[in-house]
Each structure stands twice: as C-alpha cells, then as structure tokens.
Amino acid sequence: MKRLSSGQFPHFLFLRPFPRFLFAPLLFVTLLLVALPSAWASERPELRTELQGSATAVVYQGEVRPFASFARDVLDNFSGKVSYRCKDGKADRCPRKMQATEVVLGIVKNAPQSRDWKLFKVLRSDVSEALHLPPGERYVSYGQLQPARDLLELYASRNDGHAATLEMKRLYENVQLFETLGDSARVKELFTLADPTQAESGPTVRRVNLELAYYFVDPVLWAFVAAFAGFLLSLVNLNFKKTALDRAANGAGLVASVVLVLTLAVRFAVTGHPPMANLYEIILWVALLLESFEVVAFFRCRRRKFSLMVPVAFVAALLLFFARFVLETGDAFRALPAILNSSVFLTLHVFTIAMGFAGMILSGIVAHVALFRFRGREIPRDEPLMSLLYGTLVFGSVLTIVGTLLGGVWADFAWGRFWGFDPKECGALFVILWAMLGLHLRAGRLVTGRGFVLFNAFNVVVTFLCWFGINLLGVGLHSYGFQNGTFTWLLSFVLADCALILLLNFYFRKHE
C-alpha cells in the first residue's frame, strides 16, 4: 500500500489530497456546530410552561412551540418585522430595541406604554388620510388607531376588493389581534400554555429547543458574512492574481455553502417538511446553488478564471442579504398550509424551479463577465466562456421547463387544473420563452457572438422580475410566495444592472 506523504489524506469523490487551506473554513464550520448546541443549552435550562419569555412552551397552531415563534408571527402581522425600535425616541416608553417576545409580553400584561408603541404599519397614504392619522407616518400606535376603530370596522364589512378596503381590513384585523392579546379572557383564542407533561416529552423538547437555538445563532447572517467575505477576497484577487487569495475566497464560499446546508437541515428538522414553503427558503436554495457552483468549479476546473467568482459571490451575498434583512420574517417556523402539503410534486416542483432560476442567473453572470473581458471586441464562438454561457443557459431553461411542468401536475392535484394563467405561472413561462428566444437566436445564427452575450446579460434582470416582481402583484393562488415591501429593492437592482450592462457594452466599446 502506498504511504501517504505528510499533509495528505486519501482521495474521495472528486477531491484531491486534502488541501491545507481548507483547515480554516472547516475550523469555522466546526465552531459554528459547537455554537449551535451551546446556544441550545443556553436556552434550555428548563422548558417553561408559565408565561415568562421566549422559552415558554405554548400551544400555537395546534403544536407545542416556543413563545418566541408566536410573538414573531404577531409582530410580523403588525409591522412586517420581528423586532421593534421606538419611533418617537422616548426612553421612558421604549428604552431600547425590543424583541418580539418583549413586545407581545408587554401587550399581554397590559403595560401602559404598549398603547403608544408604533407597531402598526400603514401601507397606503389614502388609508392614512381617511383615518386622520399623522401625514407621512408609516407606523402608528394602537392609541392612534383606536379613535378610528368604528371606521375601520365599517370598511372591513365591505367586499368591493378595492386595495384601500383590503388595507382597512388588514388594519382592523391587527387592531382586533392587539385587543385580544390584552384581554386575559380572550387571549386563549390565540395560544395556550402547554401542559407540563406534553411539553416535557422528548421530541417536543428537542424541536422547541432547536428552534430557539436557530434564532440564537442566526445562521443566515453568518452565511451572508461568509459569502460577502468571499466576494471581497475575489474582488481583491482580480488585481493580485494570487493562489492564496483565490483559495481563501473559495474557502469562504465553502463555509457559506456548509452553513446554508445546515440551516436548511435545521429547518427541515423543526418543521417536519422540506424547507421549500416560502420565498425566504427558496432564496436560500438559490444562494446555496450559486455558491456550490463556484466551489465545485474550484475543485474541478483547472482553467478557471478569477473574474467569474466575483459576480457569483456577489449575487449569492446579495440574495442572502435580501433574505436576512428584507425578508427577516421569513425565518419564522410557520406550519405548512394543507394545500402546500398535499403532494410530493410540490417539493419536486419548487426544487427544480430553484435550480432552473439558479441556472438562468448563472448564465446572466457569465454574460456579464464575457462583456467585461471582451469589451470593444467581437467574441469568438469557440471561446470557453461562450461554451459555459450556452451550457448554463440550457441547464437553466431545461430545469425551468421541467419545474413548470411539475408545478402543473401539482396544481392539477391540488386545485383541479393544470394551468390557469396565474401570475406566478406566467412569470415562469416568460423566463422559459426568454431562454428559448436566446437559444433560437444562437442556433439560427441571427445574432453575432457579442449579440448573443448581450441578450443573455439581461437573464438576471428577467429572472428577478419574474421571480420577485410577480410577488408584488399580490394576486393569484400562489399566496405563499407573496412578499410586500420589496419594490424599492427590486427597482434599484434592475436599474443598476441595466446601467452596468449598457456601460459594459457601449461605453467600453466606444472607448476601446
């Protein structure tokens, strides 16, 4: 038997002898794995069954859950956030940033200042004007809404479907929720304290404490930090072209990938269903696929280009930033609606669509890199970047088609029809048509190599508009995918990316 030299380990899968540079990222992941049980232990001295704080066990949505989950859902309904910071700056009313459990406990215990907390987000200016609320204020308190309660109730009784009426109904439901929390006789309609014997059962204790540990560690934040570190290191390496920097950047990408795998595994263990139930979790999957692409390329491709990792790591970090700081309420462990738990085709559909969208985003990223590298020059068809662009485009389009067909099978099973021109269905169809147009332009030689690259540079914009933009409509049967408050972020990204594409294609071409 051949003896291994110092610093080497046996080959397995596609890995070469174990690279020493991986010791640092693996050490980081090990520390994170140690921190998770430590956080678990820090939260679990005992599983309390009296209403004291986040570790209190309550029966919520038919399951024994930590009080923290219930509180986060309540605050999400009120303001779209999972924490609260005083809007008026008065230290006697709210001395610091408050977590959801502190806010809800204040309401339940009838803290006098809770009526002045500006918890309720008003989404429409015409509604604010009709209720005689202070102009320009997006967040108001229960004390400000109470005088208009009768008017809210009147509008809530209407069924005209107008956007202002729907907002009035939402505010009225939240006012009722606030009043129910503050009423000791009615609060049991929302949650009850868990029975001690039920709360102390083995599986229940493990699930509740794992959920608390997840909130404590905040793994998505760490995944974002690792992905962003990989982006910065790869950006610096564009200038220095050092192997050590390249390894460090890919090590950070590996850390982000491992943390995302652990995150999704924990979510699966807590909820008991595949973590593909909302927009937040799908973003985590797409970010994981992007990071995994770069990590696999690092190990498998000997002729890699340093410049490709920069946009891949940037888009992955951008998605994780969006998930962590914009869709922060998506990390709540909500029960899966019955209609979404009706068929295995839903899991296959969502996972396949996620891979398809990741492929489309990758093809757009490769096109950006090709425009940057060949600014002012025609791009030959035998260029390796062109082969990579074509491969990722085919990968993304095929999986988007398969995912859409699987979605139709699930829709037929759950809703009784294969296709209904739902906005989300039309969004996926538009991505497919866009990809098919690009492939036919190439096959028919109707565009030059540079024209093909320029067309595919818009793949990221098209995918984001059909993925996130459709959610802004708030209509259709895919209600689990809706997310309000993302218009500004999406518009900013689309304008910035379009400006970058025009800059790469026209400005550099003019000045070459």
Side-chain angles (χ1 to χ4, degrees):
M1 180 180 296
K2 182 180 178 180
R3 180 171 297 179
L4 296 174
S5 61
S6 176
Q8 291 186 339
F9 293 90
H11 292 268
F12 64 97
L13 297 178
F14 58 81
L15 294 181
R16 298 184 290 275
F18 192 79
R20 294 180 179 178
F21 77 92
L22 288 181
F23 282 122
L26 286 179
L27 178 62
F28 178 86
V29 174
T30 303
L31 292 175
L32 186 65
L33 290 173
V34 171
L36 190 63
S38 300
W40 186 339
S42 68
E43 290 282 355
R44 62 169 301 186
E46 72 260 355
L47 195 61
R48 295 188 291 270
T49 53
E50 64 277 2
L51 194 58
Q52 292 182 353
S54 60
T56 302
V58 299
V59 179
Y60 168 52
Q61 294 181 342
E63 296 182 349
V64 178
R65 305 280 299 279
F67 181 68
S69 293
F70 170 75
R72 291 166 74 93
D73 279 359
V74 169
L75 198 53
D76 177 24
N77 289 332
F78 287 164
S79 60
K81 298 180 180 295
V82 293
S83 61
Y84 172 71
R85 190 183 298 276
C86 273
K87 305 297 187 296
D88 54 13
K90 295 182 179 180
D92 58 332
R93 295 184 180 181
C94 180
R96 58 186 173 80
K97 182 178 179 180
M98 303 172 65
Q99 297 303 317
T101 51
E102 298 175 273
V103 173
V104 175
L105 278 175
I107 300 172
V108 171
K109 296 180 178 180
N110 288 304
Q113 63 270 27
S114 64
R115 297 171 60 89
D116 297 322
W117 291 340
K118 295 184 177 182
L119 303 172
F120 301 91
K121 186 176 183 179
V122 183
L123 301 177
R124 295 181 60 88
S125 58
D126 53 352
V127 170
S128 181
E129 183 179 356
L131 298 177
H132 304 291
L133 299 173
E137 289 194 12
R138 298 182 62 190
Y139 293 90
V140 296
S141 66
Y142 174 77
Q144 291 172 301
L145 284 174
Q146 189 181 29
R149 192 184 188 285
D150 292 339
L151 184 59
L152 281 172
E153 185 176 5
L154 175 62
Y155 274 98
S157 63
R158 296 183 178 182
N159 293 310
D160 54 20
H162 192 276
T165 303
L166 296 177
E167 175 62 7
M168 290 282 194
K169 289 183 177 181
R170 188 188 69 84
L171 285 173
Y172 181 62
E173 290 173 356
N174 284 334
V175 167
Q176 288 182 309
L177 177 58
F178 186 95
E179 293 171 345
T180 303
L181 284 170
D183 188 341
S184 57
R186 297 173 54 201
V187 72
K188 292 182 179 181
E189 299 173 10
L190 302 176
F191 72 94
T192 57
L193 296 177
D195 180 80
T197 58
Q198 182 184 12
E200 291 174 2
S201 63
T204 299
V205 170
R206 286 192 294 270
R207 188 180 70 249
V208 170
N209 285 305
L210 187 59
E211 188 172 346
L212 288 170
Y214 178 91
Y215 291 143
F216 182 86
V217 174
D218 198 359
V220 177
L221 176 62
W222 290 106
F224 162 71
V225 171
F228 190 69
F231 161 68
L232 291 179
L233 290 169
S234 59
L235 186 63
V236 172
N237 197 38
L238 282 180
N239 183 44
F240 294 100
K241 300 291 192 301
K242 298 294 184 180
T243 303
L245 283 174
D246 184 43
R247 289 178 172 179
N250 282 275
L254 179 61
V255 169
S257 301
V258 173
V259 173
L260 285 173
V261 169
L262 294 175
T263 300
L264 294 168
V266 170
R267 296 187 69 85
F268 178 76
V270 172
T271 60
H273 58 75
M276 302 175 189
N278 54 42
L279 183 62
Y280 176 87
E281 293 175 337
I282 298 173
I283 288 177
L284 299 186
W285 278 107
V286 174
L288 172 60
L289 292 170
L290 291 176
E291 289 287 359
S292 300
F293 165 81
E294 179 55 37
V295 171
V296 172
F298 173 77
F299 284 107
R300 298 290 295 172
C301 302
R302 297 182 181 275
R303 298 178 61 189
R304 284 186 323 109
K305 301 294 184 180
F306 292 126
S307 57
L308 184 57
M309 185 183 177
V310 177
V312 172
F314 173 75
V315 174
L318 183 66
L319 288 172
L320 291 173
F321 175 87
F322 185 71
R324 173 59 182 82
F325 297 100
V326 181
L327 305 181
E328 60 178 347
T329 57
D331 68 350
F333 293 88
R334 293 187 175 92
L336 190 67
I339 194 171
L340 300 183
N341 200 23
S342 56
S343 172
V344 69
F345 288 109
L346 174 65
T347 301
L348 296 175
H349 155 63
V350 174
F351 183 69
T352 310
I353 281 287
M355 289 197 297
F357 283 179
M360 291 297 296
I361 293 171
L362 276 173
S363 63
I365 290 174
V366 175
H368 281 69
V369 174
L371 285 177
F372 175 76
R373 190 172 298 168
F374 291 91
R375 49 189 182 274
R377 304 191 304 275
E378 179 55 38
I379 306 175
R381 286 182 174 267
D382 59 349
E383 164 65 28
L385 271 178
M386 294 294 283
S387 300
L388 181 60
L389 171 58
Y390 179 72
T392 52
L393 180 61
V394 171
F395 175 85
S397 58
V398 169
L399 286 175
T400 304
I401 292 173
V402 174
T404 303
L405 293 175
L406 288 171
V409 174
W410 166 65
D412 183 59
F413 182 87
W415 298 332
R417 93 289 189 279
F418 181 84
W419 185 267
F421 288 97
D422 188 84
K424 296 285 284 186
E425 297 169 350
C426 293
L429 177 62
F430 188 82
V431 172
I432 294 171
L433 294 176
W434 179 267
M436 291 298 102
L437 178 59
L439 291 172
H440 281 79
L441 288 174
R442 180 184 185 277
R445 296 182 179 272
L446 300 177
V447 293
T448 63
R450 188 173 190 83
F452 178 68
V453 170
L454 180 61
F455 179 88
N456 285 279
F458 289 93
N459 287 355
V460 181
V461 169
V462 170
T463 304
F464 274 38
L465 286 174
C466 295
W467 184 15
F468 298 116
I470 294 298
N471 295 329
L472 299 175
L473 299 177
V475 296
L477 293 174
H478 293 73
S479 58
Y480 59 91
F482 296 155
Q483 177 64 41
N484 295 319
T486 61
F487 174 76
T488 303
W489 294 94
L490 179 63
L491 179 63
S492 300
F493 174 82
V494 169
L495 293 178
D497 193 41
C498 289
L500 176 62
I501 293 171
L502 295 177
L503 181 69
L504 291 174
N505 186 68
F506 296 108
Y507 180 80
F508 285 144
R509 187 175 183 179
K510 178 181 178 182
H511 289 76
E512 183 66 28

